[in-house]
Amino acid sequence: MKKSILIVAVLSAFIFTSCKENAADKVNEENVAAAADRDAKAGDFPVMTFSESEFDFGTIDQGTNVEHTFTFTNTGNAPLVIVDAKSSCGCTVPQFTKAPVAPGDTGEMLVKFNGSGKGQVSKTVTITANTKSGKETLKIKAFVNAPEGVTPAASNVIKTNSK
């Protein structure tokens, strides 16, 4: 009985292994070359290199609209696509190049600031792009003068309507 079970097991193993087709014969060489090319390019990222990453507007009067254009170059090996740019507050508005920036080409990021706040003010613009880190940052700052006749203590008072 044991011999017959052993014989059936050996024959079953032989049948299952002999019916198998060679999987290597089904591999398409064109697909292998395309996959190798794709995998080689998977590590290529665009690199956003700014001529300056921070700009100081100096001293401005409160409510004065100012703007600065940041220029950048794609020093990477793939096209650069900016998905979004957001500032740390609503008083700063970034506008950016929407078209992809090819390797070696330059683009611009215009940052507008409406002069809100008082004293030393710093704002950050966060750029979402297809770079390796996925996020890049720019900074602007200014010293905002309060309007004449308004003392710093008086300008901090919150006015409410009372009936």
Side-chain angles (χ1 to χ4, degrees):
M1 178 77 175
K2 290 182 182 180
K3 285 184 182 180
S4 57
I5 293 175
L6 181 63
I7 291 173
V8 171
V10 170
L11 286 176
S12 298
F14 179 74
I15 291 172
F16 286 122
T17 57
S18 65
C19 294
K20 205 174 211 180
E21 294 180 22
N22 189 358
D25 293 339
K26 293 184 177 183
V27 174
N28 185 343
E29 292 300 321
E30 291 175 8
N31 292 343
V32 171
D37 187 42
R38 180 199 64 223
D39 292 345
K41 290 181 179 179
D44 291 346
F45 287 99
V47 177
M48 244 177 145
T49 305
F50 286 91
S51 57
E52 59 185 343
S53 60
E54 187 172 316
F55 185 77
D56 187 352
F57 288 109
T59 302
I60 62 172
D61 290 329
Q62 192 174 40
T64 302
N65 293 324
V66 291
E67 59 185 47
H68 179 71
T69 302
F70 291 92
T71 58
F72 60 88
T73 304
N74 179 1
T75 57
N77 297 323
L80 171 68
V81 178
I82 299 174
V83 178
D84 194 17
K86 292 186 179 185
S87 69
S88 55
C89 81
C91 61
T92 306
V93 179
Q95 295 175 337
F96 55 92
T97 304
K98 304 245 190 286
V101 179
D105 286 351
T106 60
E108 294 182 342
M109 171 86 50
L110 176 66
V111 178
K112 298 178 180 181
F113 175 59
N114 71 2
S116 66
K118 292 179 283 305
Q120 187 66 42
V121 178
S122 296
K123 303 297 176 188
T124 303
V125 175
T126 303
I127 302 161
T128 305
N130 64 333
T131 58
K132 190 170 187 173
S133 66
K135 302 268 186 207
E136 307 297 328
T137 58
L138 297 173
K139 294 181 182 175
I140 61 167
K141 60 183 180 177
F143 187 86
V144 181
N145 284 328
E148 289 190 33
V150 177
T151 62
S155 63
N156 291 331
V157 175
I158 300 172
K159 296 180 181 178
T160 59
N161 291 333
S162 59
K163 293 185 179 182

